[in-house]
Amino acid sequence: MSLTPEQQAEIDELRANPAPTLRAVSEGMEKHLYSAIPVLDHGFVRVIDYMGDDAAICQAARVSYGKGTKSVQNDEGLIRYLMRHWHSTPFEMCEVKLHVKLPVFVARQWIRHRTANVNEYSARYSILDREFYIPAPEHVAAQSLVNNQGRGEALQGEEAARVLEMLKADSTRSYDSYEAMISQDGQQGLARELARMNLPANIYTQWYWKVDLHNLLHFLRLRADAHAQYEIRVYADAICKVVADWVPAAYRAFEDYRMGAVSMSAQMMDCLRRMVKGEVVEQSTSGMSAREWREFQDMLND
Ligand SMILES: Cc1cc2nc3c(=O)[nH]c(=O)nc-3n(C[C@H](O)[C@H](O)[C@H](O)COP(=O)(O)OP(=O)(O)OC[C@H]3O[C@@H](n4cnc5c(N)ncnc54)[C@H](O)[C@@H]3O)c2cc1C
């Protein structure tokens, strides 16, 4: 379970005490405030706070004294124009602060996104919970044969069972030793900052992560993508749903001009123009490497 009854009670109390405000409010985001969206077996994403909405993007773009909005269509058109032309700073005027609980190996990928503010749970100060990510059987997969940085078919039968058993047993054994080392029962007890060395990378950590909308969309573009590892992609997918509710027009533009778009090289554009004119272009006449040609074919056939 991702939340204890006490943690849920704290969230319920916060949600039960709304305060009036003059700030921009996104109705779609209000429903997410404080609630935990479960991810993986023990993780979650919670919206702690946010600033701005679709109108705030237009307000900043127009450097307006008032709300900055015109009509809904006019605003959406502006947002789409900004997204299409990489005019990114108006999107930086919106921010979100998330509380995320995630396995350490996922946190290592996530922390590479440097354009956010982070405060992580201290394992020097506190004792980590006995919670490990154990993949669901369909995600216990073999090394991919075509992609060195990915997984292929799910393991089957005895091999799958043996792998799952090893993951569980090793996690439990490491945590038992961690507890035994820090225990003050009849011994001095090893410092927490040292005992944690023994913990595996599938143990859960938590952090507050604050980021502006422009950089969040950059994160989502990379981590909600099919090439991202499943275990970080499910967090990105959960955040995508939150962003769609928070800034629906910006999210639609993001889907159209980033997630659903492709970036073509000069050679690809040249081939495309020749193909539109009726020429049959082969890899040998494309000016592209075999790999780039394959990627081009994937773009056209997707
Ligand atoms: C599918 C996938 C596979 C990956 N594989 C690997 C891997 O094998 N090994 C590995 O090490 N990483 C890997 N990464 C991580 C990747 O290289 C980036 O570090 C990560 O995606 C963060 O991207 P970013 O730097 O654009 O984001 P952010 O850190 O959020 O930065 C956003 C942008 O700000 C600018 N910026 C921020 N900080 C600086 C800075 N200090 N100097 C200059 N410009 C800056 C850059 O323009 C950057 O694009 C992988 C990522 C993905 C999505």
Side-chain angles (χ1 to χ4, degrees):
M1 194 173 89
S2 9
L3 290 176
T4 63
E6 293 75 30
Q7 288 164 342
Q8 187 58 53
E10 283 181 48
I11 291 169
D12 293 343
E13 194 187 328
L14 281 169
R15 288 195 60 85
N17 291 294
T21 178
L22 293 175
R23 292 164 49 197
V25 168
S26 157
E27 290 306 328
M29 195 61 148
E30 290 292 303
K31 74 172 191 217
H32 288 296
L33 265 180
Y34 312 128
S35 309
I37 303 168
V39 186
L40 299 179
D41 49 358
H42 301 289
F44 60 70
V45 173
R46 295 199 306 130
V47 179
I48 300 300
D49 205 355
Y50 71 97
M51 181 168 77
D53 56 2
D54 276 331
I57 298 166
C58 300
Q59 188 186 35
R62 297 184 177 118
V63 194
S64 161
Y65 285 90
K67 273 191 146 189
T69 53
K70 295 208 166 155
S71 67
V72 173
Q73 282 110 316
N74 203 308
D75 277 4
E76 179 139 10
L78 173 60
I79 286 172
R80 293 178 73 78
Y81 176 87
L82 297 171
M83 185 75 76
R84 215 162 49 240
H85 294 279
W86 298 88
H87 183 169
S88 50
T89 40
F91 297 98
E92 292 173 15
M93 303 299 160
C94 295
E95 293 214 348
V96 64
K97 182 162 66 184
L98 302 172
H99 177 186
V100 188
K101 185 171 170 191
L102 68 176
V104 164
F105 72 93
V106 175
R108 281 202 59 181
Q109 294 189 341
W110 196 310
I111 202 71
R112 299 298 306 279
H113 296 265
R114 298 156 289 178
T115 40
N117 307 103
V118 187
N119 192 63
E120 188 172 5
Y121 187 86
S122 170
R124 297 182 70 190
Y125 184 82
S126 309
I127 298 172
L128 289 170
D129 291 332
R130 186 190 278 269
E131 282 178 327
F132 306 97
Y133 168 62
I134 304 293
E138 64 270 28
H139 295 298
V140 181
Q143 175 61 42
S144 166
L145 298 176
V146 286
N147 176 5
N148 286 336
Q149 209 174 36
R151 64 184 80 170
E153 300 278 298
L155 296 181
Q156 301 296 324
E158 214 176 284
E159 186 178 4
R162 188 164 47 83
V163 166
L164 276 171
E165 200 37 55
M166 282 196 278
L167 286 171
K168 286 180 199 161
D170 288 355
S171 304
T172 304
R173 193 168 41 248
S174 297
Y175 197 89
D176 287 348
S177 302
Y178 170 70
E179 266 189 335
M181 286 190 283
I182 59 178
S183 164
Q184 292 179 340
D185 254 3
Q187 61 177 8
Q188 261 188 304
L190 183 66
R192 290 165 196 161
E193 67 178 13
L194 289 170
R196 64 176 166 173
M197 283 190 290
N198 201 46
L199 293 169
N202 64 342
I203 195 159
Y204 274 84
T205 184
Q206 302 184 33
W207 59 35
Y208 268 39
W209 193 70
K210 183 169 75 68
V211 66
D212 66 63
L213 180 60
H214 166 65
N215 284 297
L216 176 60
L217 294 178
H218 177 65
F219 171 85
L220 295 175
R221 168 68 192 82
L222 295 172
R223 302 300 182 177
D225 184 82
H227 295 95
Q229 179 169 346
Y230 166 79
E231 282 76 16
I232 192 165
R233 202 167 69 229
V234 284
Y235 284 91
D237 288 343
I239 298 172
C240 279
K241 293 201 178 89
V242 170
V243 177
D245 289 337
W246 171 29
V247 280
Y251 189 76
R252 280 192 288 275
F254 168 69
E255 278 190 310
D256 290 344
Y257 300 123
R258 298 287 185 275
M259 289 307 278
V262 291
S263 169
M264 287 206 182
S265 65
Q267 289 77 9
M268 287 176 179
M269 281 308 297
D270 177 57
C271 287
L272 198 57
R273 288 192 191 100
R274 286 159 57 196
M275 289 158 87
V276 168
K277 284 183 190 151
E279 184 181 335
V280 178
V281 185
E282 309 275 347
Q283 191 243 315
S284 54
T285 56
S286 69
M288 288 185 234
S289 67
R291 185 169 186 172
E292 198 183 353
W293 177 252
R294 220 171 31 245
E295 288 170 7
F296 180 54
Q297 297 300 304
D298 288 347
M299 283 178 195
L300 299 182
N301 297 323
D302 234 8

